[in-house]
Amino acid sequence: MTKPLSLPLICQPSATRSDTLAVQVYRDLLDAVRAGRLSHGSRLPSSRGAAQALGLSRSTINLAYELLRAEGVIDVRQGAAPQVIAPDAGPAKPPVEVARTPSARGRQLGAVRRDSATEQVSGRMAPGEPSEALFPADEWARALRRAARRMHGPVSSYAAPHGLPALRGILAERLATDRGLAVDPEQILITTSTQGSLALAAQVLSDAGDRAALEDPGYPGARAAFLGAGLRLHSMPVDAEGAQPDGLPDDTRLIYLTPSNQYPLGIRMSHARRLAFLNRTQQTGALILEDDYDSEFLWRGREIAALAAEASAGQVIYMGSASKVLMPALRLGWMAVPPDLVDPLRAAQRNLGLMANLHAQHALADMMRAGRYRAQLKRIARVYEGRGRGLAQALSSIDGVSASQPDGGVQVSARFDGRLTEDGALAAVAVHGFQPARLSDYCAGAELRGLVIGFADATPERIALFADALRTAQSSIPDKNP
C-alpha cells in the first residue's frame, strides 16, 4: 500500500496570510494537483493525521477536504484515506529537448581525454600503473586504524588544508636525503595527485592565453591541465638527452618536464640539458614544473638530484606522489614551491577543494617515519626491475620492434619500424586482456609509432604471452613485396 504523502512538503498555512487556514490548505493542495506534483491516485493523510502534521484542528482539515471534494479533486470515502482525482489533461506533450553544452572553460577542461590511448581506463600491463598485488595492504590497514583512532584537534576540521604538518615534515626530510632538495616543511603542499598539483599550478600561475611548453611525446595529463587553464601550448621534441630547450618561445610562462625519467620514453635528462633549462628560465622568468616521475625506481647509472635542487633562483616547482610506491587511488601527492608562491597556492588549494584525506596523510606519515615506506619501495623496485628487463628483452626479439632496457619507471616504450601497426598490435594483445597504449597518442608533433607498455604486473608468463601475440599480429600482415 502506498504511504500517504507528507503534507508539510506541500502546504504551509500561516496566520499571517489573508485567507483562512482551511482555504490555504485547500488552495495549496489544488495548486499541487494542477501542477502535476500530486498525481492521480495519490493518497492524502486522514483528517487526524493531516491535523497533526500541520498543527491545525481536524475541523480545519475537514473543511479543506470538503472544498477539494466539491471541486472533484479528491475522493473521500468512509474509513479510507482521501485519494486525488487528477483531471484529464489530454494526450501527454512530448518533452522539449534542450541542447546543453559545457561552457568555454568546460570545453577546455575536457579537450584532452587522458584515457583515449586505450579501450579501457586500465587493464593488464597498462602504462603508469603499479601492481595492486604488491600493495602493502596489512601495513596500510594498521596505519589507517591508528590514524582513525586518534584525536586530531583543529586539523580534523578545516585547519591545515594544505597538508598535515607531520607529513610535510617527514617529506621535507625525505626530499633532502633522497632528492637533494632542501625545503622548509612550510613550502610543501599536500595535494591529491601530481595531476592535482599540475592543475593547481596552471590555474594559479598563468592567465588564459599564456604559453606553456611540454615534452613531445609527453604526459597527456600536463596537456589536459594546461588546456584546462586556457593556455597556448608549445611542444618540445625529445631526443636521447631529454627535452630540447631550443626554440622555446621567450614568452613561455610554464615549462613541464620529467627530467628524472621522461614519460613515456624513459630517458633521463642530461646534465647539460638541465642547466640549459635553468639558464633559460633565469633569462625569461618562466617557471618549471618538475614532475619527478618514477624517480624512486633507478636501476642503471648513478642517482641524480632533482632538478629543483639545482635551481638557485626559485624557478622550479617540484611535484611527486605516492602513486607508484603505494597506489594511485590513495590520492596522495605533494609539491614543493618557492617561498613567494606558498600563500597564493595555499589559498587557491583551499578554494578549489584540492585537499587530501586526513587519515591517509597520517597513515603515509606513519609509514614513512617508521621506515616501512622505504622498505616497500625497495621490495617492489627489485620486482619491477626484473620485470622491466624481461619485457624489454622479449620485445627486442621481435622483428621490427625496438625497446631499450628501462633505467627506471614502470613502463617501456616499444617502437615499430616495420609493418606492425599500432591498431593491429592493440587488437592482438587485447584478446588476452592486455591494455597498453598507443605511443602516437602521447605525441603532438612527433611521428612515433609503437606501444607504451606497463610492466609492474608483467609476470614471465604474461610477458611471453604478450610477445607471442605481437609476433602473431606481425606474421598475419601480408608482405607488400612478395
Coordinates of all heavy atoms in Angstrom, one line a residue, residues 52-133:
Q52 N -2.4 16.7 12.7 CA -1.2 16.6 13.5 C 0.0 17.1 12.7 O 0.9 17.7 13.2 CB -1.0 15.1 13.9 CG -2.0 14.6 14.9 CD -1.9 13.2 15.2 OE1 -1.2 12.4 14.5 NE2 -2.5 12.7 16.3
A53 N 0.1 16.8 11.4 CA 1.2 17.1 10.6 C 1.3 18.6 10.4 O 2.4 19.2 10.4 CB 1.1 16.5 9.2
L54 N 0.2 19.3 10.3 CA 0.2 20.8 10.0 C 0.0 21.6 11.3 O 0.0 22.8 11.2 CB -0.9 21.1 9.0 CG -0.7 20.5 7.6 CD1 -1.8 20.8 6.7 CD2 0.6 20.9 7.0
G55 N -0.3 20.9 12.4 CA -0.6 21.7 13.6 C -1.9 22.5 13.6 O -2.0 23.6 14.2
L56 N -2.9 21.9 12.9 CA -4.2 22.6 12.8 C -5.3 21.7 13.4 O -5.0 20.5 13.8 CB -4.5 22.8 11.3 CG -3.5 23.6 10.5 CD1 -4.0 23.7 9.1 CD2 -3.4 25.0 11.1
S57 N -6.5 22.2 13.5 CA -7.6 21.4 14.1 C -8.2 20.5 13.0 O -8.0 20.7 11.8 CB -8.7 22.3 14.6 OG -9.3 23.0 13.5
R58 N -8.8 19.4 13.4 CA -9.4 18.5 12.5 C -10.5 19.2 11.7 O -10.7 18.8 10.5 CB -10.0 17.2 13.2 CG -8.9 16.3 13.7 CD -9.5 15.0 14.3 NE -10.2 14.2 13.3 CZ -10.9 13.2 13.5 NH1 -11.1 12.8 14.8 NH2 -11.5 12.5 12.6
S59 N -11.3 20.1 12.4 CA -12.4 20.7 11.6 C -11.8 21.6 10.5 O -12.4 21.7 9.4 CB -13.1 21.6 12.6 OG -12.3 22.6 13.2
T60 N -10.6 22.2 10.7 CA -10.0 23.0 9.6 C -9.6 22.0 8.4 O -9.9 22.4 7.2 CB -8.7 23.7 10.1 OG1 -9.1 24.6 11.1 CG2 -8.0 24.4 9.0
I61 N -9.1 20.9 8.7 CA -8.7 19.9 7.7 C -10.0 19.4 7.0 O -10.0 19.3 5.7 CB -7.9 18.8 8.2 CG1 -6.6 19.3 8.8 CG2 -7.6 17.8 7.2 CD1 -5.7 20.1 7.9
N62 N -11.0 19.1 7.8 CA -12.2 18.5 7.2 C -12.8 19.5 6.2 O -13.3 19.2 5.1 CB -13.2 18.2 8.3 CG -12.9 16.9 9.0 OD1 -12.3 16.0 8.4 ND2 -13.2 16.8 10.2
L63 N -12.8 20.8 6.6 CA -13.3 21.9 5.7 C -12.5 21.9 4.4 O -13.1 22.0 3.3 CB -13.4 23.2 6.4 CG -13.9 24.4 5.6 CD1 -15.3 24.1 5.0 CD2 -13.8 25.7 6.4
A64 N -11.2 21.9 4.5 CA -10.3 21.9 3.3 C -10.6 20.7 2.4 O -10.7 20.9 1.2 CB -8.9 22.0 3.7
Y65 N -10.7 19.6 3.0 CA -11.0 18.4 2.2 C -12.4 18.4 1.5 O -12.6 18.0 0.4 CB -10.9 17.1 3.1 CG -9.5 16.6 3.4 CD1 -9.3 15.5 4.2 CD2 -8.4 17.3 2.8 CE1 -8.0 15.0 4.5 CE2 -7.1 16.8 3.1 CZ -6.9 15.7 3.9 OH -5.7 15.2 4.2
E66 N -13.4 19.0 2.2 CA -14.7 19.1 1.7 C -14.7 20.1 0.5 O -15.4 19.8 -0.6 CB -15.7 19.7 2.7 CG -17.1 19.8 2.2 CD -17.7 18.5 1.7 OE1 -17.3 17.4 2.2 OE2 -18.6 18.6 0.8
L67 N -13.9 21.1 0.5 CA -13.8 22.0 -0.6 C -13.1 21.3 -1.8 O -13.6 21.5 -3.0 CB -12.9 23.3 -0.2 CG -13.6 24.2 0.8 CD1 -12.6 25.3 1.2 CD2 -14.8 24.9 0.1
L68 N -12.1 20.5 -1.5 CA -11.5 19.7 -2.6 C -12.4 18.7 -3.2 O -12.4 18.5 -4.4 CB -10.2 19.1 -2.1 CG -9.1 20.0 -1.7 CD1 -8.0 19.3 -1.0 CD2 -8.5 20.6 -3.0
R69 N -13.2 18.1 -2.3 CA -14.2 17.1 -2.8 C -15.2 17.7 -3.7 O -15.6 17.2 -4.8 CB -14.9 16.4 -1.6 CG -15.8 15.2 -2.0 CD -16.7 14.8 -0.9 NE -17.6 15.9 -0.6 CZ -18.7 16.2 -1.3 NH1 -18.9 15.5 -2.4 NH2 -19.4 17.2 -1.0
A70 N -15.7 18.9 -3.3 CA -16.7 19.6 -4.1 C -16.1 20.0 -5.5 O -16.8 20.1 -6.5 CB -17.1 20.9 -3.3
E71 N -14.8 20.2 -5.5 CA -14.1 20.6 -6.8 C -13.9 19.3 -7.7 O -13.5 19.4 -8.8 CB -12.8 21.2 -6.5 CG -12.9 22.7 -6.0 CD -13.0 23.7 -7.1 OE1 -12.9 23.3 -8.3 OE2 -13.1 24.9 -6.8
G72 N -14.2 18.2 -7.1 CA -13.9 16.9 -7.8 C -12.4 16.6 -7.9 O -12.0 15.8 -8.7
V73 N -11.7 17.1 -6.9 CA -10.2 16.9 -6.9 C -9.8 15.7 -6.1 O -8.8 15.0 -6.3 CB -9.5 18.2 -6.4 CG1 -8.0 17.9 -6.2 CG2 -9.7 19.3 -7.4
I74 N -10.6 15.4 -5.0 CA -10.3 14.2 -4.2 C -11.6 13.4 -4.0 O -12.7 13.9 -4.1 CB -9.7 14.6 -2.8 CG1 -10.8 15.4 -2.0 CG2 -8.5 15.4 -3.0 CD1 -10.3 15.6 -0.5
D75 N -11.4 12.1 -3.7 CA -12.5 11.2 -3.4 C -12.4 10.8 -1.9 O -11.4 10.3 -1.5 CB -12.4 10.0 -4.3 CG -13.5 9.0 -4.0 OD1 -14.6 9.4 -3.6 OD2 -13.3 7.8 -4.3
V76 N -13.4 11.1 -1.2 CA -13.4 10.9 0.2 C -14.5 9.8 0.5 O -15.7 9.9 0.2 CB -13.8 12.2 1.1 CG1 -13.8 11.9 2.6 CG2 -12.8 13.3 0.7
R77 N -14.0 8.7 1.1 CA -14.9 7.6 1.5 C -14.7 7.2 2.9 O -13.6 7.4 3.5 CB -14.5 6.3 0.6 CG -14.7 6.5 -0.9 CD -14.4 5.3 -1.6 NE -14.5 5.4 -3.1 CZ -14.3 4.5 -4.0 NH1 -13.9 3.3 -3.5 NH2 -14.5 4.7 -5.3
Q78 N -15.8 6.7 3.5 CA -15.8 6.4 4.9 C -14.7 5.3 5.2 O -14.7 4.2 4.5 CB -17.2 5.9 5.3 CG -17.3 5.6 6.8 CD -17.2 6.9 7.7 OE1 -17.6 7.9 7.2 NE2 -16.7 6.7 8.9
G79 N -13.8 5.5 6.1 CA -12.9 4.5 6.5 C -11.7 4.4 5.6 O -10.8 3.5 5.8
A80 N -11.6 5.2 4.6 CA -10.5 5.1 3.6 C -9.8 6.5 3.5 O -10.4 7.5 3.7 CB -10.9 4.7 2.2
A81 N -8.5 6.5 3.2 CA -7.8 7.8 3.1 C -8.2 8.5 1.8 O -8.5 7.8 0.8 CB -6.3 7.5 3.0
P82 N -8.3 9.8 1.9 CA -8.7 10.6 0.7 C -7.7 10.3 -0.5 O -6.5 10.2 -0.2 CB -8.7 12.0 1.1 CG -8.8 11.9 2.6 CD -8.1 10.7 3.0
Q83 N -8.2 10.2 -1.7 CA -7.4 10.0 -2.9 C -7.6 11.1 -3.9 O -8.7 11.6 -4.0 CB -7.7 8.6 -3.5 CG -7.1 7.4 -2.8 CD -7.2 6.2 -3.7 OE1 -8.3 5.9 -4.2 NE2 -6.1 5.4 -3.8
V84 N -6.5 11.4 -4.5 CA -6.5 12.5 -5.5 C -7.1 12.0 -6.8 O -6.9 10.9 -7.3 CB -5.1 13.0 -5.8 CG1 -5.1 14.0 -7.0 CG2 -4.5 13.7 -4.5
I85 N -8.0 12.8 -7.4 CA -8.6 12.6 -8.7 C -8.1 13.7 -9.6 O -8.6 14.8 -9.7 CB -10.1 12.6 -8.7 CG1 -10.6 11.6 -7.6 CG2 -10.7 12.3 -10.1 CD1 -12.1 11.7 -7.4
A86 N -7.0 13.4 -10.3 CA -6.3 14.4 -11.2 C -7.2 14.6 -12.4 O -7.7 13.6 -13.0 CB -4.9 14.0 -11.6
P87 N -7.4 15.8 -12.9 CA -8.2 16.0 -14.1 C -7.4 15.4 -15.3 O -6.2 15.4 -15.4 CB -8.2 17.5 -14.2 CG -7.1 18.0 -13.4 CD -6.9 17.0 -12.3
D88 N -8.2 15.0 -16.3 CA -7.6 14.5 -17.6 C -7.0 15.7 -18.4 O -7.7 16.6 -18.8 CB -8.7 13.8 -18.4 CG -8.2 13.1 -19.6 OD1 -6.9 13.2 -19.8 OD2 -9.0 12.6 -20.4
A89 N -5.7 15.6 -18.5 CA -5.0 16.7 -19.2 C -4.9 16.5 -20.7 O -4.3 17.3 -21.4 CB -3.6 16.9 -18.6
G90 N -5.5 15.4 -21.2 CA -5.4 15.1 -22.6 C -4.1 14.4 -22.9 O -3.3 14.0 -22.0
P91 N -3.8 14.2 -24.2 CA -2.5 13.5 -24.5 C -1.3 14.2 -24.0 O -1.2 15.4 -24.0 CB -2.5 13.5 -26.0 CG -3.6 14.4 -26.5 CD -4.5 14.7 -25.3
A92 N -0.4 13.4 -23.5 CA 0.9 14.0 -22.9 C 1.7 14.7 -24.0 O 1.8 14.2 -25.1 CB 1.7 12.9 -22.3
K93 N 2.2 15.9 -23.7 CA 3.0 16.6 -24.6 C 4.4 16.1 -24.5 O 5.0 15.8 -23.5 CB 3.0 18.1 -24.3 CG 1.6 18.7 -24.4 CD 1.7 20.2 -24.0 CE 0.3 20.9 -24.2 NZ 0.4 22.3 -23.8
P94 N 5.0 15.9 -25.7 CA 6.4 15.5 -25.7 C 7.3 16.5 -25.0 O 7.1 17.7 -25.1 CB 6.8 15.3 -27.2 CG 5.8 16.3 -27.9 CD 4.6 16.2 -27.0
P95 N 8.3 16.0 -24.2 CA 9.2 16.9 -23.6 C 10.0 17.7 -24.6 O 10.4 17.3 -25.7 CB 10.2 16.0 -22.8 CG 10.1 14.7 -23.5 CD 8.7 14.6 -24.0
V96 N 10.3 19.0 -24.2 CA 11.1 19.8 -25.1 C 12.6 19.5 -24.9 O 13.1 19.4 -23.8 CB 10.9 21.3 -24.7 CG1 11.7 22.2 -25.6 CG2 9.4 21.7 -24.9
E97 N 13.2 19.2 -26.0 CA 14.6 18.8 -26.0 C 15.5 20.1 -26.0 O 15.3 20.9 -26.9 CB 15.0 17.9 -27.2 CG 14.3 16.6 -27.1 CD 14.8 15.6 -28.2 OE1 15.7 16.1 -28.9 OE2 14.3 14.5 -28.3
V98 N 16.3 20.2 -25.0 CA 17.1 21.4 -24.9 C 18.6 20.9 -25.0 O 19.0 20.1 -24.2 CB 16.9 22.2 -23.5 CG1 17.8 23.4 -23.5 CG2 15.4 22.6 -23.4
A99 N 19.3 21.5 -25.9 CA 20.7 21.1 -26.0 C 21.5 21.8 -24.9 O 21.5 23.1 -24.8 CB 21.2 21.6 -27.4
R100 N 22.2 21.0 -24.1 CA 23.0 21.6 -23.0 C 24.5 21.3 -23.4 O 24.9 20.2 -23.6 CB 22.6 21.0 -21.7 CG 21.2 21.3 -21.3 CD 20.8 20.7 -20.0 NE 19.5 21.1 -19.5 CZ 18.4 20.6 -19.9 NH1 18.4 19.6 -20.8 NH2 17.2 21.1 -19.4
T101 N 25.2 22.4 -23.4 CA 26.7 22.3 -23.7 C 27.5 22.9 -22.6 O 27.0 23.7 -21.9 CB 27.0 23.0 -25.0 OG1 26.6 24.4 -24.9 CG2 26.2 22.4 -26.2
P102 N 28.7 22.4 -22.4 CA 29.6 22.9 -21.4 C 30.0 24.3 -21.8 O 29.9 24.8 -22.9 CB 30.8 22.0 -21.4 CG 30.8 21.3 -22.7 CD 29.4 21.2 -23.1
S103 N 30.5 25.1 -20.8 CA 31.0 26.4 -21.0 C 32.3 26.3 -21.7 O 32.9 25.3 -22.0 CB 31.2 27.1 -19.7 OG 32.2 26.4 -18.9
A104 N 32.9 27.5 -22.1 CA 34.2 27.5 -22.8 C 35.2 26.9 -21.9 O 36.1 26.2 -22.3 CB 34.5 29.0 -23.1
R105 N 35.1 27.2 -20.6 CA 36.1 26.6 -19.7 C 35.9 25.1 -19.6 O 36.9 24.3 -19.5 CB 36.0 27.2 -18.3 CG 37.0 26.7 -17.3 CD 36.8 27.3 -15.9 NE 36.9 28.7 -15.8 CZ 35.9 29.6 -15.7 NH1 34.7 29.1 -15.6 NH2 36.1 30.9 -15.7
G106 N 34.7 24.7 -19.6 CA 34.4 23.2 -19.6 C 34.9 22.5 -20.8 O 35.4 21.4 -20.7
R107 N 34.8 23.2 -21.9 CA 35.3 22.6 -23.2 C 36.8 22.5 -23.1 O 37.4 21.5 -23.6 CB 34.9 23.4 -24.4 CG 33.4 23.2 -24.7 CD 33.0 23.8 -26.1 NE 33.3 25.2 -26.1 CZ 32.4 26.2 -25.8 NH1 31.2 25.8 -25.4 NH2 32.7 27.4 -26.0
Q108 N 37.5 23.5 -22.5 CA 38.9 23.4 -22.4 C 39.3 22.3 -21.4 O 40.3 21.5 -21.7 CB 39.4 24.7 -21.8 CG 39.3 25.9 -22.9 CD 39.6 27.2 -22.2 OE1 39.6 27.4 -21.0 NE2 39.9 28.2 -23.1
L109 N 38.6 22.1 -20.3 CA 38.9 21.1 -19.4 C 38.7 19.7 -19.9 O 39.4 18.7 -19.6 CB 38.1 21.2 -18.1 CG 38.5 22.4 -17.2 CD1 37.4 22.6 -16.1 CD2 39.8 22.1 -16.5
G110 N 37.8 19.6 -20.9 CA 37.5 18.3 -21.5 C 38.2 18.1 -22.8 O 37.8 17.1 -23.5
A111 N 39.1 19.0 -23.2 CA 39.7 18.9 -24.5 C 40.6 17.7 -24.7 O 40.7 17.2 -25.8 CB 40.5 20.2 -24.8
V112 N 41.2 17.2 -23.7 CA 42.1 16.1 -23.8 C 41.5 14.9 -23.0 O 41.3 15.0 -21.7 CB 43.5 16.4 -23.3 CG1 44.4 15.1 -23.3 CG2 44.1 17.5 -24.2
R113 N 41.2 13.8 -23.6 CA 40.7 12.6 -22.9 C 42.0 11.8 -22.6 O 42.6 11.2 -23.5 CB 39.8 11.8 -23.8 CG 38.4 12.5 -24.0 CD 37.7 12.6 -22.6 NE 37.6 11.3 -22.0 CZ 36.6 10.5 -22.3 NH1 35.6 10.8 -23.1 NH2 36.5 9.3 -21.7
R114 N 42.3 11.7 -21.3 CA 43.5 11.0 -21.0 C 43.5 9.5 -21.1 O 44.5 8.8 -21.1 CB 43.9 11.4 -19.5 CG 44.3 12.8 -19.3 CD 44.5 13.1 -17.9 NE 45.6 12.3 -17.4 CZ 45.8 12.1 -16.1 NH1 45.0 12.7 -15.2 NH2 46.7 11.3 -15.6
D115 N 42.2 9.0 -21.3 CA 42.1 7.5 -21.5 C 41.9 7.1 -22.9 O 41.6 6.0 -23.2 CB 41.0 7.0 -20.6 CG 39.7 7.6 -20.9 OD1 39.7 8.6 -21.7 OD2 38.6 7.1 -20.5
S116 N 42.2 8.1 -23.8 CA 41.9 7.8 -25.2 C 42.9 6.8 -25.8 O 42.7 6.3 -26.9 CB 42.0 9.1 -26.1 OG 43.3 9.7 -26.0
A117 N 44.1 6.6 -25.2 CA 45.1 5.7 -25.7 C 44.7 4.3 -25.6 O 45.2 3.4 -26.3 CB 46.4 6.0 -25.0
T118 N 43.8 3.9 -24.7 CA 43.4 2.6 -24.5 C 41.9 2.4 -24.6 O 41.1 3.4 -24.4 CB 43.8 2.0 -23.1 OG1 43.3 2.9 -22.1 CG2 45.3 2.1 -23.0
E119 N 41.4 1.2 -24.9 CA 40.0 1.0 -25.0 C 39.3 1.1 -23.6 O 38.2 1.4 -23.4 CB 39.7 -0.4 -25.5 CG 40.2 -0.6 -27.0 CD 39.4 0.4 -27.9 OE1 38.2 0.6 -27.7 OE2 40.0 0.9 -28.8
Q120 N 40.1 0.8 -22.5 CA 39.6 0.9 -21.2 C 40.5 1.8 -20.4 O 41.6 2.2 -20.9 CB 39.6 -0.5 -20.5 CG 38.7 -1.5 -21.2 CD 38.8 -2.9 -20.5 OE1 39.4 -3.0 -19.5 NE2 38.2 -3.9 -21.1
V121 N 40.1 2.3 -19.2 CA 40.9 3.2 -18.4 C 42.1 2.4 -18.0 O 43.2 3.0 -17.9 CB 40.0 3.7 -17.3 CG1 40.9 4.5 -16.3 CG2 38.9 4.5 -17.7
S122 N 42.0 1.2 -17.6 CA 43.2 0.4 -17.2 C 43.0 -1.0 -17.5 O 41.9 -1.5 -17.9 CB 43.4 0.7 -15.6 OG 42.3 0.2 -14.9
G123 N 44.0 -1.8 -17.2 CA 44.0 -3.2 -17.5 C 45.4 -3.8 -17.3 O 46.3 -3.2 -16.8
R124 N 45.5 -5.1 -17.7 CA 46.8 -5.7 -17.6 C 47.9 -5.0 -18.4 O 47.7 -4.7 -19.6 CB 46.7 -7.2 -18.0 CG 45.9 -8.0 -16.9 CD 46.2 -9.5 -17.1 NE 45.7 -10.1 -18.3 CZ 45.9 -11.3 -18.7 NH1 46.6 -12.1 -17.9 NH2 45.4 -11.8 -19.8
M125 N 49.0 -4.8 -17.8 CA 50.2 -4.2 -18.5 C 49.8 -2.8 -19.1 O 50.3 -2.4 -20.1 CB 50.8 -5.1 -19.5 CG 51.4 -6.4 -18.8 SD 52.0 -7.7 -19.9 CE 53.4 -6.9 -20.7
A126 N 49.0 -2.1 -18.4 CA 48.7 -0.7 -18.8 C 49.8 0.2 -18.3 O 50.3 0.0 -17.2 CB 47.3 -0.3 -18.2
P127 N 50.2 1.2 -19.0 CA 51.3 2.1 -18.6 C 50.9 2.9 -17.4 O 49.8 3.3 -17.2 CB 51.5 3.0 -19.8 CG 50.2 3.0 -20.6 CD 49.6 1.6 -20.3
G128 N 51.9 3.2 -16.6 CA 51.8 4.1 -15.4 C 51.1 3.5 -14.2 O 50.8 4.2 -13.3
E129 N 50.8 2.2 -14.2 CA 50.1 1.6 -13.1 C 51.0 0.6 -12.3 O 51.7 -0.2 -12.9 CB 48.9 0.8 -13.6 CG 47.8 1.6 -14.3 CD 46.6 0.8 -14.6 OE1 46.5 -0.4 -14.2 OE2 45.6 1.4 -15.1
P130 N 51.0 0.8 -11.0 CA 51.8 -0.2 -10.2 C 51.0 -1.5 -10.0 O 49.8 -1.6 -10.5 CB 51.9 0.5 -8.8 CG 50.6 1.4 -8.8 CD 50.3 1.8 -10.2
S131 N 51.6 -2.5 -9.5 CA 51.0 -3.8 -9.3 C 50.1 -3.7 -8.0 O 50.7 -3.5 -6.9 CB 52.0 -4.9 -9.2 OG 51.4 -6.1 -8.7
E132 N 48.8 -3.9 -8.1 CA 48.0 -3.9 -6.9 C 48.3 -5.1 -6.0 O 48.2 -5.0 -4.8 CB 46.5 -4.0 -7.3 CG 45.6 -3.9 -6.1 CD 44.1 -3.9 -6.5 OE1 43.8 -4.0 -7.7 OE2 43.3 -3.8 -5.6
A133 N 48.8 -6.2 -6.6 CA 49.2 -7.4 -5.8 C 50.3 -7.1 -4.8 O 50.5 -7.8 -3.8 CB 49.5 -8.5 -6.7

